[in-house]
Amino acid sequence: MTVFAPDSLALNRKLPLWYQVSQSLRASILGRRPHEPLRLPTEGQLAEHYGVSVLTMRQALKELEQEGLISRHRRRGTFIEPAAQRGAPVRLLGSVDAIVAQQSGERTTVLGHGPAPVPPELAEHFPGLDEIVEYRRLRCDEQSGEPTNWAQNAVRPDLADRIDLADLTRWPMTKVLRDAVGVRIGRITDTVEARLADPETARLLSVPLLSPILHYTGVTYDAKGHVVDVARIRYRGDRFSFTVTVQA
């Protein structure tokens, strides 16, 4: 029987392995195309794929099962739940794959893209540049069609030339830059704050004007410390919460 093929993962030994594996597999599941198989490889096959022990893999799968993304059946195997809810909390523990997982799992529409002057509030991130390429995307719940968030990405022009718009309907920008464009991501700095919905956000997310929203800003740096992307995402306040776990 054909099984689902998850993405690869470069492990960071400073973070819990089970967490990194669960977030990477979660991102793969949420980015799955409709025609791809629902059956996952066996525990042993997944453990070999990620380069971890079976016990670590088992803990990662337990996390996804508790979230409702997968179901496990004795003697039959592990399967992706096609109707699983995607409106999960925004949860971060310091890995790029956590960012990818956070932004995955909804039907994405590219509203538009093109060159634009560097916004004054982003000028510090793009020194020496007069223009960036802006991408605007709307994400909706796969089951209900209800809008959940909309995003603006400001990307360096030299990288935007290598972005395929079709990839942006399936993957978050972070994953596109890393896996399709080949950017070596060094770090991502996140800022999350409560704001009130402006007219455009209210229209796109179908919420009342000035209602509470969760405003996320993610600044992505490459391995040399240069900013490659600034994401500004507006989440519906009734669909998301934000949790950060800090390791001692």
Side-chain angles (χ1 to χ4, degrees), residues 202-223:
R203 176 178 62 85
L204 289 172
L205 299 186
S206 300
V207 297
L209 184 64
L210 301 181
S211 61
I213 63 165
L214 194 65
H215 189 281
Y216 164 92
T217 302
V219 182
T220 301
Y221 299 80
D222 65 16

Side-chain angles (χ1 to χ4, degrees), residues 15-16 18-19 91-95 98 243-247:
L15 296 171
W18 69 266
Y19 175 82
R91 300 173 59 201
L92 301 178
L93 189 57
S95 74
T243 302
V244 177
T245 301
V246 178
Q247 292 295 106

Side-chain angles (χ1 to χ4, degrees), residues 2-247:
T2 304
V3 296
F4 178 73
D7 296 334
S8 59
L9 170 65
L11 291 170
N12 180 344
R13 297 293 168 177
K14 294 181 180 180
L15 296 171
L17 297 183
W18 69 266
Y19 175 82
Q20 295 179 70
V21 170
S22 70
Q23 291 301 300
S24 179
L25 185 53
R26 182 179 188 275
S28 295
I29 289 172
L30 294 179
R32 169 185 165 275
R33 295 183 185 276
H35 66 272
E36 291 184 301
L38 291 172
R39 187 189 183 102
L40 288 177
T42 65
E43 278 185 358
Q45 291 169 332
L46 285 170
E48 183 178 359
H49 173 77
Y50 286 113
V52 298
S53 69
V54 172
L55 287 177
T56 296
M57 193 67 240
R58 191 168 296 160
Q59 187 174 2
L61 291 173
K62 182 179 179 181
E63 176 83 0
L64 298 180
E65 185 178 25
Q66 290 176 342
E67 189 178 329
L69 283 179
I70 63 173
S71 59
R72 311 182 72 191
H73 306 274
R74 193 172 183 181
R75 295 180 181 160
R76 288 182 52 212
T78 303
F79 296 85
I80 298 169
E81 286 291 334
Q85 292 296 316
R86 268 44 174 181
V90 179
R91 300 173 59 201
L92 301 178
L93 189 57
S95 74
V96 172
D97 284 285
I99 301 288
V100 171
Q102 168 216 320
Q103 298 174 5
S104 300
E106 293 143 324
R107 187 176 71 246
T108 302
T109 301
V110 177
L111 301 175
H113 76 289
V118 176
E121 65 271 22
L122 302 186
E124 64 177 301
H125 299 305
F126 298 102
L129 289 182
D130 296 323
E131 283 189 340
I132 46 85
V133 177
E134 183 181 77
Y135 295 84
R136 295 160 50 85
R137 290 172 298 151
L138 177 67
R139 298 188 182 103
C140 298
D141 183 89
E142 289 181 339
Q143 306 302 318
S144 67
E146 182 180 54
T148 59
N149 66 86
W150 80 278
Q152 286 175 291
N153 289 85
V155 179
R156 290 169 52 98
D158 57 311
L159 299 176
D161 290 341
R162 294 146 55 192
I163 292 175
D164 186 337
L165 287 182
D167 287 339
L168 288 177
T169 64
R170 178 187 183 191
W171 294 332
M173 180 65 79
T174 306
K175 183 174 177 62
V176 171
L177 289 172
R178 185 188 65 178
D179 298 346
V181 177
V183 174
R184 290 184 58 207
I185 293 177
R187 71 182 192 275
I188 300 173
T189 300
D190 297 306
T191 302
V192 180
E193 56 188 315
R195 290 191 182 179
L196 301 179
D198 56 48
E200 185 172 28
T201 296
R203 176 178 62 85
L204 289 172
L205 299 186
S206 300
V207 297
L209 184 64
L210 301 181
S211 61
I213 63 165
L214 194 65
H215 189 281
Y216 164 92
T217 302
V219 182
T220 301
Y221 299 80
D222 65 16
K224 295 182 179 180
H226 301 133
V227 173
V228 295
D229 167 50
V230 179
R232 291 169 291 173
I233 308 175
R234 292 83 165 172
Y235 294 95
R236 282 183 52 153
D238 60 345
R239 292 298 301 269
F240 288 89
S241 62
F242 185 81
T243 302
V244 177
T245 301
V246 178
Q247 292 295 106

